[in-house]
Structure formats: structure tokens, C-alpha cells
Amino acid sequence: MPEPRPAFLEVRNLKKYFPVRRGILSQVVSHVKAIDDVSFSIGKGETFGLVGESGCGKTTTGRAVLRLIEPDSGEIRFEGEDMLKLGATALRALRREMQIIFQDPYASLNPRMTIRSIVGEPFAIHRIASGSDRDDRVANLLKTVGLEASVMSRYPHEFSGGQRQRIGIARALALRPKLIVADEPVSALDVSIQSQIINLLSDLQSQFELTYLFISHAIPVIEHISTRIGVMYVGKLVEVGTSRQICVNPKHPYTQALLSAVPVPDPAAKKQRIVLKGDVPTPLNPPSGCRFHPRCPIAVDRCSIEEPPLRPIEDGRQVACHLVP
């Protein structure tokens, strides 16, 4: 097993609850527990994959890490500095070090702006370059992601989904960030284009020494690009380990069920599918104890009463399950 790297990004006990309001006075009657006590760390230069079903809190976690959504509590330490204690001026300066690639390449680009303006906007906001210098930088960024400099005068609607995502990647790279949150960057693309974007992100990571928080619901994609993987279920991490540990020998019953649903590209191969009963619980009213216990095939009485902590086990990974030794 590889030695753990020093924490570059450290998230501790992160929580984000969204209030549910009802009535004429819009009184708060409940909360959606989108992120509920999530902790993980990412080493410099590695890719930490966050995987789970839709609605489990992956995207909220990524946006909370960047403070695009303000967390309710917890710690987010970036290179040792607690981001949640920073004021507006200090946070603005730190934002140059962290960027995001959005899921939808169609909605994330302003249709009224040219590519020159979209990719060059970070330079204008942070007052780094202007005029011909800015155009030169934009042209270099477009070449880096596999586009011609001649497209600068065109608009987003003139490009395919894959090309738009390349433009989004170029915009994220503009300020030479150290950390990029990739929020399902290939889920809206054709399968053939997905591989091109994944390979591009891998090449850019080596070229610019980037650290990724890579969010996806597709385990094959996560397995291909990630150094380590965190598995989320209804706002909580249930298992964290290296890519090989999670994908070859999963320990948590939920991780095992997820992996059993991944198709095998061999018609002759037989694979035992773990079919979970019931529906995914709502984060508005999650189950007591372990949140997975109503669907877990091996649950015991203790699972419905006592919530399992995310604890280290013998091979260095972390698992939140009472029944894993």
C-alpha cells in the first residue's frame, strides 16, 4: 500500500443542512441533511474520487469545500489554512488557488459571451492581464485543452458538448490553480468523448501539478482516474480507501452493492448482482443508526440503533460499519 501523502486539503466534520420552510410565515419545520459530519483529506497531486448515488451529497460537498455554498459547521483546511475563518478579501485571494469544472457544459457557459471573454474573464476579475496579453493567454489555454486559437471569437452554441467542456476546463486553468473540483465533468457527454476528457484531465494533472476532488456516480470513471476513493450514502461517507482497495475488495455492504451493478465487458463472464431492497432514504428524515441499515442485506439490531463511526481498519482504509472486523 502506498504511503499516505501529507494533507493538502483537509475536511473535518463538515455539515450542511438546508432548512425546509412552510406556512404563511415561512417557518423552518425541518432540515435536509445534505452533508452530515463528513471528513476526508487529499494529498498534494492526488485525485480523490467521491462516488455515490444521485442525491447523496457529492456535489454539495464539492461546492462547500470551495465555499460556493457556506457550510454550517466543520473545518476546511487548504494548505493548513482554515478557509471558514477567512474574510471576504482573504477568501478572494485564495480563490485563485481553487477552481471548479461544472457538470453541465451547456449551462456553465454564458451564451452571450464569446470564448475570448469566457476564458479571459478570470484574468479580468483578478486584474492579471488585459488587451493583447490576455488574448495570448487565452489562445495558449485553448491550445492546451486541444482547441484552436481561432475559436476565440465564437460563441458557446457553436460547439459540441465535448468542446464546451474543454472550454470550461480552459477557464478553470486560467489562474493556474492548485486544486480543481471536477463535479461530474463527463456525465453529460457521450461515452466516446468521456474517455477523451478523462485522459485530458490526467495529462493536465501531470503538466500543471494539479490536485483533484473528482465527483462522479460512475464507478469505472472514478476507478480510472482516482488515487483514493470516498463512497457517500445519504450525506455520509461509508468507506474510504485506495482505488484498488475500493474497487477490488470493497468492505462496506453498500460499496459491494454499487460495484456489483457495474457491467462486465465480457458476455461469458458471470457476476453475482447484489439487489438492494427498498428506496434510498431521504436526507430530510434519515433512518436512525446506520443510514444504510433498512436496505442492508446483513444488518443486525445494533445497526438500527447505533450509528457506526468512520473508523480505520487493518489495511489502512476507513469503513463505517459495525460488522466489518
Side-chain angles (χ1 to χ4, degrees), residues 279-313:
D279 297 323
V280 179
T282 170
L284 182 63
N285 185 26
S288 61
C290 174
R291 295 189 177 183
F292 185 60
H293 87 264
R295 306 174 72 199
C296 182
I298 61 171
V300 296
D301 291 342
R302 179 187 179 189
C303 301
S304 63
I305 301 170
E306 182 182 343
E307 183 178 327
L310 186 66
R311 57 184 174 83
I313 57 176

PDB file of all heavy atoms in Angstrom, residues 279-313:
ATOM      1  N   ASP A 279     -36.135   1.794  -1.145  1.00  0.00           N
ATOM      2  CA  ASP A 279     -35.670   3.008  -1.803  1.00  0.00           C
ATOM      3  C   ASP A 279     -34.597   3.697  -0.969  1.00  0.00           C
ATOM      4  O   ASP A 279     -34.471   3.455   0.240  1.00  0.00           O
ATOM      5  CB  ASP A 279     -36.838   3.980  -2.010  1.00  0.00           C
ATOM      6  CG  ASP A 279     -37.909   3.411  -2.934  1.00  0.00           C
ATOM      7  OD1 ASP A 279     -37.536   2.727  -3.897  1.00  0.00           O
ATOM      8  OD2 ASP A 279     -39.107   3.654  -2.665  1.00  0.00           O
ATOM      9  N   VAL A 280     -33.844   4.581  -1.632  1.00  0.00           N
ATOM     10  CA  VAL A 280     -32.842   5.373  -0.920  1.00  0.00           C
ATOM     11  C   VAL A 280     -33.569   6.301   0.048  1.00  0.00           C
ATOM     12  O   VAL A 280     -34.497   7.017  -0.341  1.00  0.00           O
ATOM     13  CB  VAL A 280     -32.000   6.207  -1.906  1.00  0.00           C
ATOM     14  CG1 VAL A 280     -30.975   7.040  -1.153  1.00  0.00           C
ATOM     15  CG2 VAL A 280     -31.323   5.312  -2.921  1.00  0.00           C
ATOM     16  N   PRO A 281     -33.194   6.308   1.335  1.00  0.00           N
ATOM     17  CA  PRO A 281     -33.875   7.189   2.282  1.00  0.00           C
ATOM     18  C   PRO A 281     -33.649   8.658   1.962  1.00  0.00           C
ATOM     19  O   PRO A 281     -32.652   9.027   1.348  1.00  0.00           O
ATOM     20  CB  PRO A 281     -33.249   6.817   3.635  1.00  0.00           C
ATOM     21  CG  PRO A 281     -32.169   5.856   3.367  1.00  0.00           C
ATOM     22  CD  PRO A 281     -32.150   5.503   1.939  1.00  0.00           C
ATOM     23  N   THR A 282     -34.587   9.492   2.374  1.00  0.00           N
ATOM     24  CA  THR A 282     -34.458  10.908   2.136  1.00  0.00           C
ATOM     25  C   THR A 282     -33.575  11.564   3.203  1.00  0.00           C
ATOM     26  O   THR A 282     -33.679  11.212   4.386  1.00  0.00           O
ATOM     27  CB  THR A 282     -35.838  11.605   2.130  1.00  0.00           C
ATOM     28  OG1 THR A 282     -35.651  13.016   2.118  1.00  0.00           O
ATOM     29  CG2 THR A 282     -36.637  11.238   3.371  1.00  0.00           C
ATOM     30  N   PRO A 283     -32.703  12.497   2.807  1.00  0.00           N
ATOM     31  CA  PRO A 283     -31.904  13.216   3.811  1.00  0.00           C
ATOM     32  C   PRO A 283     -32.743  14.158   4.663  1.00  0.00           C
ATOM     33  O   PRO A 283     -32.248  14.722   5.633  1.00  0.00           O
ATOM     34  CB  PRO A 283     -30.895  14.006   2.954  1.00  0.00           C
ATOM     35  CG  PRO A 283     -31.513  14.108   1.607  1.00  0.00           C
ATOM     36  CD  PRO A 283     -32.348  12.878   1.438  1.00  0.00           C
ATOM     37  N   LEU A 284     -34.025  14.321   4.318  1.00  0.00           N
ATOM     38  CA  LEU A 284     -34.930  15.116   5.143  1.00  0.00           C
ATOM     39  C   LEU A 284     -35.263  14.400   6.447  1.00  0.00           C
ATOM     40  O   LEU A 284     -35.416  15.027   7.494  1.00  0.00           O
ATOM     41  CB  LEU A 284     -36.212  15.403   4.357  1.00  0.00           C
ATOM     42  CG  LEU A 284     -37.276  16.269   5.020  1.00  0.00           C
ATOM     43  CD1 LEU A 284     -36.737  17.665   5.285  1.00  0.00           C
ATOM     44  CD2 LEU A 284     -38.525  16.340   4.147  1.00  0.00           C
ATOM     45  N   ASN A 285     -35.343  13.071   6.368  1.00  0.00           N
ATOM     46  CA  ASN A 285     -35.641  12.275   7.561  1.00  0.00           C
ATOM     47  C   ASN A 285     -34.872  10.961   7.479  1.00  0.00           C
ATOM     48  O   ASN A 285     -35.459   9.903   7.253  1.00  0.00           O
ATOM     49  CB  ASN A 285     -37.156  12.022   7.654  1.00  0.00           C
ATOM     50  CG  ASN A 285     -37.528  11.305   8.938  1.00  0.00           C
ATOM     51  OD1 ASN A 285     -36.835  11.399   9.949  1.00  0.00           O
ATOM     52  ND2 ASN A 285     -38.623  10.562   8.896  1.00  0.00           N
ATOM     53  N   PRO A 286     -33.544  11.004   7.644  1.00  0.00           N
ATOM     54  CA  PRO A 286     -32.737   9.784   7.502  1.00  0.00           C
ATOM     55  C   PRO A 286     -33.023   8.785   8.614  1.00  0.00           C
ATOM     56  O   PRO A 286     -33.456   9.158   9.717  1.00  0.00           O
ATOM     57  CB  PRO A 286     -31.295  10.314   7.598  1.00  0.00           C
ATOM     58  CG  PRO A 286     -31.405  11.593   8.348  1.00  0.00           C
ATOM     59  CD  PRO A 286     -32.730  12.178   7.983  1.00  0.00           C
ATOM     60  N   PRO A 287     -32.784   7.499   8.362  1.00  0.00           N
ATOM     61  CA  PRO A 287     -33.024   6.477   9.382  1.00  0.00           C
ATOM     62  C   PRO A 287     -32.115   6.655  10.591  1.00  0.00           C
ATOM     63  O   PRO A 287     -31.029   7.230  10.497  1.00  0.00           O
ATOM     64  CB  PRO A 287     -32.696   5.162   8.647  1.00  0.00           C
ATOM     65  CG  PRO A 287     -32.681   5.509   7.201  1.00  0.00           C
ATOM     66  CD  PRO A 287     -32.289   6.934   7.106  1.00  0.00           C
ATOM     67  N   SER A 288     -32.555   6.139  11.724  1.00  0.00           N
ATOM     68  CA  SER A 288     -31.711   6.143  12.923  1.00  0.00           C
ATOM     69  C   SER A 288     -30.600   5.113  12.754  1.00  0.00           C
ATOM     70  O   SER A 288     -30.672   4.222  11.916  1.00  0.00           O
ATOM     71  CB  SER A 288     -32.548   5.807  14.157  1.00  0.00           C
ATOM     72  OG  SER A 288     -33.124   4.510  14.015  1.00  0.00           O
ATOM     73  N   GLY A 289     -29.561   5.252  13.572  1.00  0.00           N
ATOM     74  CA  GLY A 289     -28.443   4.315  13.493  1.00  0.00           C
ATOM     75  C   GLY A 289     -27.706   4.453  12.170  1.00  0.00           C
ATOM     76  O   GLY A 289     -27.475   5.555  11.671  1.00  0.00           O
ATOM     77  N   CYS A 290     -27.352   3.329  11.584  1.00  0.00           N
ATOM     78  CA  CYS A 290     -26.701   3.339  10.268  1.00  0.00           C
ATOM     79  C   CYS A 290     -27.734   3.687   9.209  1.00  0.00           C
ATOM     80  O   CYS A 290     -28.802   3.068   9.143  1.00  0.00           O
ATOM     81  CB  CYS A 290     -26.089   1.964   9.979  1.00  0.00           C
ATOM     82  SG  CYS A 290     -25.399   1.822   8.316  1.00  0.00           S
ATOM     83  N   ARG A 291     -27.424   4.643   8.365  1.00  0.00           N
ATOM     84  CA  ARG A 291     -28.396   5.096   7.375  1.00  0.00           C
ATOM     85  C   ARG A 291     -28.650   4.050   6.291  1.00  0.00           C
ATOM     86  O   ARG A 291     -29.639   4.119   5.576  1.00  0.00           O
ATOM     87  CB  ARG A 291     -27.919   6.401   6.751  1.00  0.00           C
ATOM     88  CG  ARG A 291     -27.886   7.521   7.770  1.00  0.00           C
ATOM     89  CD  ARG A 291     -27.640   8.875   7.181  1.00  0.00           C
ATOM     90  NE  ARG A 291     -27.694   9.877   8.233  1.00  0.00           N
ATOM     91  CZ  ARG A 291     -27.566  11.169   8.032  1.00  0.00           C
ATOM     92  NH1 ARG A 291     -27.344  11.628   6.807  1.00  0.00           N
ATOM     93  NH2 ARG A 291     -27.641  12.027   9.037  1.00  0.00           N
ATOM     94  N   PHE A 292     -27.764   3.085   6.198  1.00  0.00           N
ATOM     95  CA  PHE A 292     -27.922   2.054   5.169  1.00  0.00           C
ATOM     96  C   PHE A 292     -28.689   0.838   5.683  1.00  0.00           C
ATOM     97  O   PHE A 292     -29.072  -0.027   4.894  1.00  0.00           O
ATOM     98  CB  PHE A 292     -26.535   1.629   4.669  1.00  0.00           C
ATOM     99  CG  PHE A 292     -26.560   0.651   3.530  1.00  0.00           C
ATOM    100  CD1 PHE A 292     -27.176   0.957   2.320  1.00  0.00           C
ATOM    101  CD2 PHE A 292     -25.960  -0.595   3.642  1.00  0.00           C
ATOM    102  CE1 PHE A 292     -27.202   0.055   1.274  1.00  0.00           C
ATOM    103  CE2 PHE A 292     -25.971  -1.502   2.604  1.00  0.00           C
ATOM    104  CZ  PHE A 292     -26.593  -1.177   1.411  1.00  0.00           C
ATOM    105  N   HIS A 293     -28.957   0.781   6.990  1.00  0.00           N
ATOM    106  CA  HIS A 293     -29.486  -0.470   7.557  1.00  0.00           C
ATOM    107  C   HIS A 293     -30.842  -0.911   6.994  1.00  0.00           C
ATOM    108  O   HIS A 293     -31.094  -2.123   6.908  1.00  0.00           O
ATOM    109  CB  HIS A 293     -29.538  -0.383   9.097  1.00  0.00           C
ATOM    110  CG  HIS A 293     -30.788   0.228   9.651  1.00  0.00           C
ATOM    111  ND1 HIS A 293     -30.888   1.564   9.997  1.00  0.00           N
ATOM    112  CD2 HIS A 293     -32.010  -0.310   9.923  1.00  0.00           C
ATOM    113  CE1 HIS A 293     -32.091   1.819  10.461  1.00  0.00           C
ATOM    114  NE2 HIS A 293     -32.798   0.716  10.420  1.00  0.00           N
ATOM    115  N   PRO A 294     -31.769  -0.002   6.583  1.00  0.00           N
ATOM    116  CA  PRO A 294     -33.036  -0.512   6.021  1.00  0.00           C
ATOM    117  C   PRO A 294     -32.859  -1.297   4.721  1.00  0.00           C
ATOM    118  O   PRO A 294     -33.727  -2.094   4.358  1.00  0.00           O
ATOM    119  CB  PRO A 294     -33.853   0.761   5.782  1.00  0.00           C
ATOM    120  CG  PRO A 294     -33.263   1.788   6.689  1.00  0.00           C
ATOM    121  CD  PRO A 294     -31.796   1.465   6.719  1.00  0.00           C
ATOM    122  N   ARG A 295     -31.745  -1.097   4.020  1.00  0.00           N
ATOM    123  CA  ARG A 295     -31.511  -1.777   2.747  1.00  0.00           C
ATOM    124  C   ARG A 295     -30.376  -2.792   2.825  1.00  0.00           C
ATOM    125  O   ARG A 295     -30.100  -3.477   1.845  1.00  0.00           O
ATOM    126  CB  ARG A 295     -31.196  -0.748   1.664  1.00  0.00           C
ATOM    127  CG  ARG A 295     -32.213   0.347   1.528  1.00  0.00           C
ATOM    128  CD  ARG A 295     -31.756   1.389   0.531  1.00  0.00           C
ATOM    129  NE  ARG A 295     -31.804   0.905  -0.838  1.00  0.00           N
ATOM    130  CZ  ARG A 295     -31.139   1.450  -1.840  1.00  0.00           C
ATOM    131  NH1 ARG A 295     -30.338   2.487  -1.625  1.00  0.00           N
ATOM    132  NH2 ARG A 295     -31.246   0.959  -3.067  1.00  0.00           N
ATOM    133  N   CYS A 296     -29.718  -2.857   3.958  1.00  0.00           N
ATOM    134  CA  CYS A 296     -28.520  -3.690   4.086  1.00  0.00           C
ATOM    135  C   CYS A 296     -28.886  -5.168   4.211  1.00  0.00           C
ATOM    136  O   CYS A 296     -29.705  -5.541   5.062  1.00  0.00           O
ATOM    137  CB  CYS A 296     -27.707  -3.244   5.298  1.00  0.00           C
ATOM    138  SG  CYS A 296     -26.171  -4.181   5.522  1.00  0.00           S
ATOM    139  N   PRO A 297     -28.269  -6.042   3.418  1.00  0.00           N
ATOM    140  CA  PRO A 297     -28.603  -7.473   3.476  1.00  0.00           C
ATOM    141  C   PRO A 297     -28.042  -8.180   4.705  1.00  0.00           C
ATOM    142  O   PRO A 297     -28.438  -9.319   4.989  1.00  0.00           O
ATOM    143  CB  PRO A 297     -27.976  -8.033   2.191  1.00  0.00           C
ATOM    144  CG  PRO A 297     -26.872  -7.084   1.856  1.00  0.00           C
ATOM    145  CD  PRO A 297     -27.324  -5.740   2.323  1.00  0.00           C
ATOM    146  N   ILE A 298     -27.125  -7.556   5.435  1.00  0.00           N
ATOM    147  CA  ILE A 298     -26.520  -8.226   6.597  1.00  0.00           C
ATOM    148  C   ILE A 298     -26.775  -7.462   7.899  1.00  0.00           C
ATOM    149  O   ILE A 298     -26.138  -7.743   8.914  1.00  0.00           O
ATOM    150  CB  ILE A 298     -24.995  -8.403   6.397  1.00  0.00           C
ATOM    151  CG1 ILE A 298     -24.294  -7.042   6.241  1.00  0.00           C
ATOM    152  CG2 ILE A 298     -24.703  -9.293   5.203  1.00  0.00           C
ATOM    153  CD1 ILE A 298     -22.772  -7.144   6.251  1.00  0.00           C
ATOM    154  N   ALA A 299     -27.719  -6.530   7.906  1.00  0.00           N
ATOM    155  CA  ALA A 299     -27.955  -5.685   9.084  1.00  0.00           C
ATOM    156  C   ALA A 299     -28.437  -6.500  10.278  1.00  0.00           C
ATOM    157  O   ALA A 299     -29.158  -7.495  10.136  1.00  0.00           O
ATOM    158  CB  ALA A 299     -28.960  -4.602   8.746  1.00  0.00           C
ATOM    159  N   VAL A 300     -28.021  -6.073  11.468  1.00  0.00           N
ATOM    160  CA  VAL A 300     -28.476  -6.660  12.731  1.00  0.00           C
ATOM    161  C   VAL A 300     -29.161  -5.560  13.548  1.00  0.00           C
ATOM    162  O   VAL A 300     -29.206  -4.390  13.137  1.00  0.00           O
ATOM    163  CB  VAL A 300     -27.284  -7.257  13.511  1.00  0.00           C
ATOM    164  CG1 VAL A 300     -26.669  -8.416  12.748  1.00  0.00           C
ATOM    165  CG2 VAL A 300     -26.233  -6.202  13.816  1.00  0.00           C
ATOM    166  N   ASP A 301     -29.698  -5.930  14.707  1.00  0.00           N
ATOM    167  CA  ASP A 301     -30.452  -4.971  15.518  1.00  0.00           C
ATOM    168  C   ASP A 301     -29.617  -3.742  15.890  1.00  0.00           C
ATOM    169  O   ASP A 301     -30.125  -2.623  15.936  1.00  0.00           O
ATOM    170  CB  ASP A 301     -30.955  -5.649  16.799  1.00  0.00           C
ATOM    171  CG  ASP A 301     -32.028  -6.687  16.513  1.00  0.00           C
ATOM    172  OD1 ASP A 301     -32.613  -6.626  15.408  1.00  0.00           O
ATOM    173  OD2 ASP A 301     -32.275  -7.541  17.373  1.00  0.00           O
ATOM    174  N   ARG A 302     -28.345  -3.955  16.158  1.00  0.00           N
ATOM    175  CA  ARG A 302     -27.467  -2.852  16.558  1.00  0.00           C
ATOM    176  C   ARG A 302     -27.399  -1.761  15.487  1.00  0.00           C
ATOM    177  O   ARG A 302     -27.276  -0.575  15.808  1.00  0.00           O
ATOM    178  CB  ARG A 302     -26.060  -3.398  16.834  1.00  0.00           C
ATOM    179  CG  ARG A 302     -25.035  -2.357  17.238  1.00  0.00           C
ATOM    180  CD  ARG A 302     -23.653  -2.965  17.330  1.00  0.00           C
ATOM    181  NE  ARG A 302     -22.651  -1.980  17.690  1.00  0.00           N
ATOM    182  CZ  ARG A 302     -21.342  -2.206  17.677  1.00  0.00           C
ATOM    183  NH1 ARG A 302     -20.882  -3.417  17.320  1.00  0.00           N
ATOM    184  NH2 ARG A 302     -20.492  -1.258  18.019  1.00  0.00           N
ATOM    185  N   CYS A 303     -27.513  -2.167  14.221  1.00  0.00           N
ATOM    186  CA  CYS A 303     -27.373  -1.217  13.116  1.00  0.00           C
ATOM    187  C   CYS A 303     -28.486  -0.175  13.102  1.00  0.00           C
ATOM    188  O   CYS A 303     -28.281   0.950  12.633  1.00  0.00           O
ATOM    189  CB  CYS A 303     -27.355  -1.964  11.786  1.00  0.00           C
ATOM    190  SG  CYS A 303     -26.010  -3.175  11.631  1.00  0.00           S
ATOM    191  N   SER A 304     -29.673  -0.527  13.586  1.00  0.00           N
ATOM    192  CA  SER A 304     -30.793   0.410  13.588  1.00  0.00           C
ATOM    193  C   SER A 304     -30.774   1.342  14.794  1.00  0.00           C
ATOM    194  O   SER A 304     -31.543   2.301  14.837  1.00  0.00           O
ATOM    195  CB  SER A 304     -32.114  -0.360  13.557  1.00  0.00           C
ATOM    196  OG  SER A 304     -32.245  -1.158  14.726  1.00  0.00           O
ATOM    197  N   ILE A 305     -29.891   1.081  15.739  1.00  0.00           N
ATOM    198  CA  ILE A 305     -29.854   1.872  16.978  1.00  0.00           C
ATOM    199  C   ILE A 305     -28.612   2.752  17.053  1.00  0.00           C
ATOM    200  O   ILE A 305     -28.682   3.945  17.354  1.00  0.00           O
ATOM    201  CB  ILE A 305     -29.893   0.938  18.206  1.00  0.00           C
ATOM    202  CG1 ILE A 305     -31.168   0.085  18.170  1.00  0.00           C
ATOM    203  CG2 ILE A 305     -29.796   1.743  19.498  1.00  0.00           C
ATOM    204  CD1 ILE A 305     -31.179  -1.020  19.195  1.00  0.00           C
ATOM    205  N   GLU A 306     -27.471   2.164  16.753  1.00  0.00           N
ATOM    206  CA  GLU A 306     -26.185   2.846  16.951  1.00  0.00           C
ATOM    207  C   GLU A 306     -25.563   3.206  15.607  1.00  0.00           C
ATOM    208  O   GLU A 306     -25.400   2.361  14.733  1.00  0.00           O
ATOM    209  CB  GLU A 306     -25.238   1.926  17.730  1.00  0.00           C
ATOM    210  CG  GLU A 306     -23.896   2.540  18.042  1.00  0.00           C
ATOM    211  CD  GLU A 306     -22.979   1.558  18.773  1.00  0.00           C
ATOM    212  OE1 GLU A 306     -23.495   0.548  19.305  1.00  0.00           O
ATOM    213  OE2 GLU A 306     -21.767   1.803  18.787  1.00  0.00           O
ATOM    214  N   GLU A 307     -25.213   4.469  15.447  1.00  0.00           N
ATOM    215  CA  GLU A 307     -24.592   4.912  14.203  1.00  0.00           C
ATOM    216  C   GLU A 307     -23.118   4.532  14.177  1.00  0.00           C
ATOM    217  O   GLU A 307     -22.366   4.886  15.086  1.00  0.00           O
ATOM    218  CB  GLU A 307     -24.721   6.433  14.052  1.00  0.00           C
ATOM    219  CG  GLU A 307     -24.157   6.954  12.751  1.00  0.00           C
ATOM    220  CD  GLU A 307     -24.347   8.457  12.602  1.00  0.00           C
ATOM    221  OE1 GLU A 307     -25.362   8.983  13.099  1.00  0.00           O
ATOM    222  OE2 GLU A 307     -23.476   9.092  11.984  1.00  0.00           O
ATOM    223  N   PRO A 308     -22.669   3.813  13.148  1.00  0.00           N
ATOM    224  CA  PRO A 308     -21.258   3.393  13.106  1.00  0.00           C
ATOM    225  C   PRO A 308     -20.342   4.551  12.714  1.00  0.00           C
ATOM    226  O   PRO A 308     -20.634   5.269  11.759  1.00  0.00           O
ATOM    227  CB  PRO A 308     -21.245   2.305  12.033  1.00  0.00           C
ATOM    228  CG  PRO A 308     -22.377   2.660  11.136  1.00  0.00           C
ATOM    229  CD  PRO A 308     -23.432   3.305  11.990  1.00  0.00           C
ATOM    230  N   PRO A 309     -19.243   4.764  13.425  1.00  0.00           N
ATOM    231  CA  PRO A 309     -18.296   5.819  13.036  1.00  0.00           C
ATOM    232  C   PRO A 309     -17.450   5.368  11.853  1.00  0.00           C
ATOM    233  O   PRO A 309     -17.283   4.164  11.610  1.00  0.00           O
ATOM    234  CB  PRO A 309     -17.433   5.986  14.289  1.00  0.00           C
ATOM    235  CG  PRO A 309     -17.450   4.621  14.928  1.00  0.00           C
ATOM    236  CD  PRO A 309     -18.811   4.046  14.645  1.00  0.00           C
ATOM    237  N   LEU A 310     -16.937   6.318  11.115  1.00  0.00           N
ATOM    238  CA  LEU A 310     -15.991   6.014  10.045  1.00  0.00           C
ATOM    239  C   LEU A 310     -14.640   5.765  10.704  1.00  0.00           C
ATOM    240  O   LEU A 310     -13.992   6.695  11.174  1.00  0.00           O
ATOM    241  CB  LEU A 310     -15.909   7.171   9.053  1.00  0.00           C
ATOM    242  CG  LEU A 310     -15.074   6.939   7.794  1.00  0.00           C
ATOM    243  CD1 LEU A 310     -15.703   5.880   6.902  1.00  0.00           C
ATOM    244  CD2 LEU A 310     -14.896   8.247   7.017  1.00  0.00           C
ATOM    245  N   ARG A 311     -14.223   4.487  10.764  1.00  0.00           N
ATOM    246  CA  ARG A 311     -13.037   4.121  11.538  1.00  0.00           C
ATOM    247  C   ARG A 311     -12.016   3.408  10.651  1.00  0.00           C
ATOM    248  O   ARG A 311     -12.371   2.760   9.663  1.00  0.00           O
ATOM    249  CB  ARG A 311     -13.433   3.201  12.689  1.00  0.00           C
ATOM    250  CG  ARG A 311     -14.150   1.945  12.225  1.00  0.00           C
ATOM    251  CD  ARG A 311     -14.634   1.071  13.357  1.00  0.00           C
ATOM    252  NE  ARG A 311     -15.436  -0.048  12.858  1.00  0.00           N
ATOM    253  CZ  ARG A 311     -14.947  -1.183  12.394  1.00  0.00           C
ATOM    254  NH1 ARG A 311     -13.624  -1.373  12.370  1.00  0.00           N
ATOM    255  NH2 ARG A 311     -15.734  -2.143  11.947  1.00  0.00           N
ATOM    256  N   PRO A 312     -10.750   3.539  10.991  1.00  0.00           N
ATOM    257  CA  PRO A 312      -9.719   2.821  10.225  1.00  0.00           C
ATOM    258  C   PRO A 312      -9.749   1.332  10.519  1.00  0.00           C
ATOM    259  O   PRO A 312     -10.030   0.906  11.649  1.00  0.00           O
ATOM    260  CB  PRO A 312      -8.413   3.460  10.706  1.00  0.00           C
ATOM    261  CG  PRO A 312      -8.721   4.014  12.058  1.00  0.00           C
ATOM    262  CD  PRO A 312     -10.168   4.395  12.038  1.00  0.00           C
ATOM    263  N   ILE A 313      -9.459   0.513   9.512  1.00  0.00           N
ATOM    264  CA  ILE A 313      -9.303  -0.926   9.710  1.00  0.00           C
ATOM    265  C   ILE A 313      -7.895  -1.326   9.302  1.00  0.00           C
ATOM    266  O   ILE A 313      -7.079  -0.486   8.975  1.00  0.00           O
ATOM    267  CB  ILE A 313     -10.384  -1.724   8.939  1.00  0.00           C
ATOM    268  CG1 ILE A 313     -10.347  -1.389   7.446  1.00  0.00           C
ATOM    269  CG2 ILE A 313     -11.753  -1.431   9.500  1.00  0.00           C
ATOM    270  CD1 ILE A 313     -11.321  -2.209   6.629  1.00  0.00           C
TER     271      ILE A 313
END
